[in-house]
């Protein structure tokens, strides 16, 4: 079932009785992140959708979408998935094919993934076998914010020439 079958994840019970496993990105996952997950949306293969999809749930597409995705936490384009449009989300994982623009904090192209896109992200990963053709832009606002947190304030230097002038 793709990215939702991670053994390290949290198990959810579907209404039909089967289990879904959500990926957990950190062993110290905060309850705030768990509150933002409103379920899992799955578009199965042999399904074609035209239009815009807006969701705050984890979203996986195995079919074809001709339109945009405005996702919350995670958008996963599965191995049989094709998106002809733009994707905006916190994390985008591509195992299928995407043509358009992608804007996210993290974009990962898997071993079977193909992205023909303009990608704007702070984190960009291409696994061996994955393909990317297009333009990559860094999400500068996020990087500048992280730099500010990591910098230590330094004291201004006293120039030796100033001391020489005082002695004269």
């Amino acid at each position: 079932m793709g990215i939702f079958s991670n053994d390290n994840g949290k198990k959810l019970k579907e209404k039909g009785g089967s289990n879904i496993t959500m990926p957990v990105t950190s062993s110290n996952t905060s309850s705030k992140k768990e509150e933002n997950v409103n379920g899992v949306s799955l578009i199965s293969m042999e399904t074609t959708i035209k239009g815009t999809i807006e969701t705050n749930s984890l979203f996986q597409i195995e079919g074809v979408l001709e339109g945009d995705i405005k996702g919350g936490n995670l958008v996963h384009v599965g191995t049989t998935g094709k998106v002809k449009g733009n994707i905006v989300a916190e994390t985008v994982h591509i195992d299928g094919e995407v043509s358009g623009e992608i804007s996210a904090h993290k974009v990962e192209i898997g071993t079977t993934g193909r992205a023909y896109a303009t990608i704007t992200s702070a984190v960009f990963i291409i696994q061996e076998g994955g393909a990317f053709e297009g333009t990559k832009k860094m999400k500068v606002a996020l990087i500048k914010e992280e730099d500010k947190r990591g910098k230590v304030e330094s004291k201004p230097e006293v120039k030796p020439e100033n001391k020489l002038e005082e002695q004269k």
Side-chain angles (χ1 to χ4, degrees):
M1 186 171 179
I3 199 163
F4 298 114
S5 60
N6 183 349
D7 290 336
N8 297 325
K10 178 181 175 184
K11 292 201 177 205
L12 295 176
K13 196 77 164 178
E14 274 189 311
K15 290 180 183 176
S18 61
N19 288 328
I20 294 178
T21 306
M22 286 188 336
V24 176
T25 56
S26 169
S27 58
N28 297 327
T29 303
S30 68
S31 60
K32 188 175 184 180
K33 281 190 177 182
E34 290 177 13
E35 289 173 7
N36 290 335
V37 176
N38 297 322
V40 178
S41 298
L42 173 67
I43 306 300
S44 64
M45 36 183 180
E46 299 184 17
T47 302
T48 300
I49 297 175
K50 293 182 181 182
T52 300
I53 295 176
E54 293 185 33
T55 181
N56 284 326
S57 64
L58 299 176
F59 182 75
Q60 180 169 346
I61 182 161
E62 294 291 345
V64 177
L65 171 67
E66 292 180 20
D68 299 339
I69 301 172
K70 295 177 184 175
N73 189 14
L74 171 70
V75 171
H76 177 230
V77 180
T79 54
T80 59
K82 290 186 180 183
V83 176
K84 295 175 186 174
N86 304 325
I87 302 174
V88 176
E90 181 67 25
T91 302
V92 177
H93 188 91
I94 304 165
D95 286 322
E97 186 177 307
V98 175
S99 300
E101 292 185 16
I102 301 169
S103 180
H105 174 74
K106 178 181 177 184
V107 175
E108 183 171 354
I109 300 173
T111 57
T112 59
R114 304 279 180 260
Y116 309 100
T118 298
I119 297 175
T120 305
S121 68
V123 179
F124 184 49
I125 300 166
I126 303 175
Q127 294 179 8
E128 187 175 345
F132 169 66
E133 185 179 316
T135 306
K136 171 63 178 94
K137 298 178 183 178
M138 293 301 292
K139 226 175 196 178
V140 179
L142 290 173
I143 295 169
K144 284 183 180 177
E145 193 174 298
E146 289 172 4
D147 285 346
K148 285 179 185 177
R149 286 186 224 144
K151 286 186 180 177
V152 178
E153 290 184 29
S154 60
K155 295 180 182 177
E157 291 183 26
V158 177
K159 295 181 182 177
E161 57 195 24
N162 291 342
K163 287 184 180 180
L164 290 175
E165 287 178 12
E166 290 174 7
Q167 290 176 355
K168 291 181 181 179

